[in-house]
Amino acid sequence: MKDKIKHEHDLGYKEILSHKKTFLEFLRSFVKKDWVKLIDEENLILIDKEFILKDFKQEEADIVYKVNIDGKDIIFYVLLELQSKVDYRMPIRLLMYMTEIWREELTNTEDKVKKRKDYRLPVIVPIVLYNGKNKWTAARNFKEILNGYELFEENIIDFRYMLFDVNRMKEEELLEIANLVSSIFLLDQDVAIEEILKRLKLIGRILGKKGSKEQIQIFNRWMMNVFKKRFDERIGEHVYQALEKTNHMEVEEMISNLGRKIEEEFKHREEKGIQKGKMETAKNLLLMGIDIPTIIKATGLSNDDIEKIKSEMN
């Protein structure tokens, strides 16, 4: 099960945010800081290395970017937290990952450069993207997990990570942002199927107008590898087949078709459930010795249906 989760996770948010243009859109849309405007997409470099500890390999993934702003190297460390439960060790884990990144930097830097008075390690900006059902309640500042930090505030290590809690984001704000990442956040939230269908129609229009061809392909893959798992096995397979057949369509047409297929499946299930209930009622009435014409009136089943139930009972 854990391997399945990790695989799904890697094909989901990791692929999406490993696309430079989309990652920059994510920062510009969700980080309200002046420094975001200074990032140039051409200077943004994806670091092809994971820093996840062995103990957490099956529960999370990470993405590392480096960018040069005004001659200074900056590293963005994004931890993709898949667990539904909040991990209160998050500040400790982040510190370990950040330390590993700095160790890597030092290892790859010449000794004569490291010994210079003006040598500086790159700033690391820690980011946690969390899509669990439970509200995130872990400490945001590292110092808060240290015993007695109040006594030594100026003399202890501290940092504050940025948190993006997908299920707590407001629908109206995500719709206003209207890009690939906000669309995926909308679909990834823990909402009823009716709400997902409503959002699918809106997202089809958003991506049809704003998404690049490459982003739409990424979105399609996300839908095929992650979104289908929101349903049980039968309907998940139904969604997968629908997406495979419509993958060549324009995004708006594809999403409209997908929504229709899901609605049809749920309508079929509802009708099947009603029929099953009628048959159970008929069976109980037969056991009570009620005559067939009365059972037909009570359930709306045909004579053949009731005869079949009777035969199966015998």
Side-chain angles (χ1 to χ4, degrees):
M1 179 62 182
K2 283 187 174 182
D3 287 338
K4 180 182 174 184
I5 287 173
K6 183 66 164 63
H7 177 65
E8 173 189 337
H9 194 61
D10 278 343
L11 290 172
Y13 283 120
K14 183 154 187 174
E15 182 182 11
I16 291 157
L17 294 176
S18 293
H19 181 246
K20 280 203 304 182
K21 178 183 172 65
T22 305
F23 179 72
L24 195 49
E25 274 185 7
F26 164 68
L27 290 180
R28 288 172 177 168
S29 301
F30 294 94
V31 180
K32 309 304 178 186
K33 300 284 185 182
D34 290 339
W35 52 257
V36 174
K37 299 170 189 171
L38 303 174
I39 301 172
D40 186 345
E41 187 182 335
E42 289 183 7
N43 291 334
L44 202 57
I45 300 167
L46 178 67
I47 307 298
D48 187 21
K49 181 169 182 178
E50 275 197 344
F51 293 88
I52 297 296
L53 297 171
K54 187 171 70 174
D55 295 348
F56 298 100
K57 279 283 185 186
Q58 307 300 341
E59 297 165 347
E60 61 194 16
D62 62 5
I63 302 166
V64 186
Y65 276 99
K66 182 183 275 193
V67 67
N68 192 281
I69 300 176
D70 292 336
K72 300 177 183 69
D73 282 340
I74 312 294
I75 291 175
F76 295 104
Y77 182 74
V78 186
L79 187 64
L80 304 171
E81 184 72 1
L82 186 65
Q83 304 176 87
S84 58
K85 292 182 179 178
V86 176
D87 191 338
Y88 297 101
R89 300 166 295 174
M90 180 56 70
I92 301 170
R93 287 162 52 201
L94 283 170
L95 178 65
M96 290 177 176
Y97 299 145
M98 291 160 72
T99 303
E100 282 304 308
I101 293 169
W102 280 319
R103 191 197 304 275
E104 181 92 355
E105 282 288 318
L106 288 168
T107 301
N108 295 327
T109 304
E110 292 181 21
D111 283 344
K112 63 180 181 181
V113 175
K114 287 185 285 191
K115 290 175 181 178
R116 290 204 315 239
K117 185 180 178 180
D118 62 349
Y119 176 70
R120 298 288 185 274
L121 285 168
V123 165
I124 299 176
V125 181
I127 298 170
V128 175
L129 182 65
Y130 168 68
N131 68 345
K133 293 180 183 180
N134 300 320
K135 184 179 178 181
W136 188 263
T137 52
R140 296 280 304 281
N141 293 302
F142 179 79
K143 67 181 182 183
E144 291 173 23
I145 60 152
L146 300 177
N147 242 337
Y149 76 88
E150 301 89 345
L151 296 172
F152 311 100
E153 288 212 35
E154 292 182 3
N155 307 104
I156 57 172
I157 191 169
D158 190 29
F159 62 85
R160 181 177 177 82
Y161 60 90
M162 285 191 275
L163 174 73
F164 298 94
D165 189 343
V166 173
N167 270 299
R168 256 52 62 181
M169 292 178 176
K170 293 181 180 176
E171 180 187 358
E172 56 271 24
E173 290 176 5
L174 292 173
L175 286 171
E176 191 177 336
I177 290 168
N179 59 24
L180 173 61
V181 179
S182 70
S183 297
I184 284 171
F185 286 170
L186 273 168
L187 289 179
D188 199 31
Q189 289 184 335
D190 185 34
V191 293
I193 182 62
E194 293 79 13
E195 180 62 23
I196 288 176
L197 293 171
K198 185 192 88 175
R199 292 180 181 189
L200 267 174
K201 291 168 187 174
L202 294 169
I203 287 164
R205 290 196 286 272
I206 289 168
L207 294 181
K209 291 175 184 175
K210 291 191 173 184
S212 68
K213 188 174 181 180
E214 194 175 356
Q215 285 180 318
I216 288 168
Q217 287 173 346
I218 291 169
F219 177 77
N220 289 358
R221 287 197 295 272
W222 182 83
M223 293 274 281
M224 292 180 78
N225 290 294
V226 179
F227 182 56
K228 65 170 185 165
K229 293 178 176 67
R230 291 290 300 270
F231 307 105
D232 62 36
E233 190 174 338
R234 174 177 154 73
I235 197 167
E237 189 58 35
H238 198 73
V239 171
Y240 190 87
Q241 288 170 1
L243 281 165
E244 276 193 318
K245 288 175 185 175
T246 58
N247 205 25
H248 63 283
M249 296 179 180
E250 292 296 323
V251 66
E252 196 168 344
E253 186 184 0
M254 181 201 80
I255 289 175
S256 174
N257 186 69
L258 175 64
R260 192 164 55 251
K261 291 283 185 186
I262 295 172
E263 281 180 315
E264 285 171 5
E265 179 66 23
F266 273 87
K267 189 177 179 183
H268 171 71
R269 283 186 174 206
E270 189 178 350
E271 288 169 354
K272 197 174 175 183
I274 291 169
Q275 183 73 1
K276 189 177 178 183
K278 287 180 178 179
M279 293 176 81
E280 282 295 318
T281 301
K283 184 177 176 182
N284 291 333
L285 291 173
L286 284 168
L287 289 168
M288 293 166 64
I290 306 297
D291 60 276
I292 289 177
T294 303
I295 295 173
I296 290 171
K297 280 187 179 180
T299 62
L301 294 172
S302 68
N303 188 76
D304 288 345
D305 288 333
I306 294 166
E307 288 291 349
K308 186 181 177 185
I309 293 167
K310 194 174 178 182
S311 172
E312 287 171 357
M313 286 169 65
N314 291 335

